[in-house]
């Protein structure tokens, strides 16, 4: 996941058990390992309005509202709930990035 996130323009990461990915000081995604004792290994991404509810309703066995972040619309993907589709992860990261990155940086993501 780190490789996918850090491939986006100007992304920085910090942390070990929980890794935050940010662009210009704004976090857009996290790698979570047993976040607040939930026992899951997951990625959490900032989501567009309504996306969290839609994903959870459609695929609640894979997607969930993460503690503390879920109330702000973030959505998490349980990486142990079946085979991981890394193209889907790349898309989630790119979508979250676009929500917070400056337009000039977001424009560099053509095709992602």
């Amino acid at each position: 996941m780190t490789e996918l996130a850090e491939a986006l323009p100007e992304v920085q990461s910090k942390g070990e058990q929980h890794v935050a990915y940010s662009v210009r000081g704004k976090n857009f995604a996290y790698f979570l390992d047993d976040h607040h004792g939930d026992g899951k290994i997951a990625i959490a991404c900032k989501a567009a309005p309504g996306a969290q509810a839609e994903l959870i309703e459609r695929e609640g066995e894979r997607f969930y509202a993460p503690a503390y972040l879920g109330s702000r619309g973030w959505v998490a993907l349980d990486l142990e709930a079946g085979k991981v589709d890394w193209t889907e992860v790349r898309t989630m990261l790119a979508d979250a990035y676009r929500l917070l990155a400056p337009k000039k940086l977001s424009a560099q993501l053509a095709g992602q």
Side-chain angles (χ1 to χ4, degrees):
M1 180 179 140
T2 295
E3 197 173 293
L4 295 175
E6 289 182 349
L8 300 168
E10 294 188 28
V11 168
Q12 295 183 333
S13 62
K14 65 180 174 183
E16 292 179 23
Q17 183 177 1
H18 305 303
V19 181
Y21 299 94
S22 63
V23 58
R24 298 204 179 164
K26 296 179 182 177
N27 293 339
F28 67 90
Y30 291 93
F31 169 79
L32 304 174
D33 183 355
D34 195 27
H35 186 242
H36 293 282
D38 68 6
K40 297 178 182 185
I41 295 177
I43 65 161
C45 294
K46 182 162 180 64
Q52 178 203 69
E54 179 182 324
L55 288 167
I56 292 170
E57 183 177 322
R58 190 177 70 219
E59 294 185 71
E61 67 283 351
R62 295 175 55 226
F63 292 97
Y64 65 97
Y68 298 95
L69 300 168
S71 64
R72 292 184 273 156
W74 286 55
V75 66
L77 170 62
D78 184 342
L79 296 175
E80 298 180 310
K83 186 177 178 188
V84 177
D85 178 347
W86 292 105
T87 301
E88 177 181 50
V89 171
R90 181 181 295 116
T91 300
M92 286 179 65
L93 290 168
D95 289 348
Y97 178 91
R98 283 185 184 98
L99 293 171
L100 295 175
K103 289 179 185 179
K104 195 174 195 179
L105 292 179
S106 291
Q108 295 178 33
L109 299 186
Q112 288 190 31

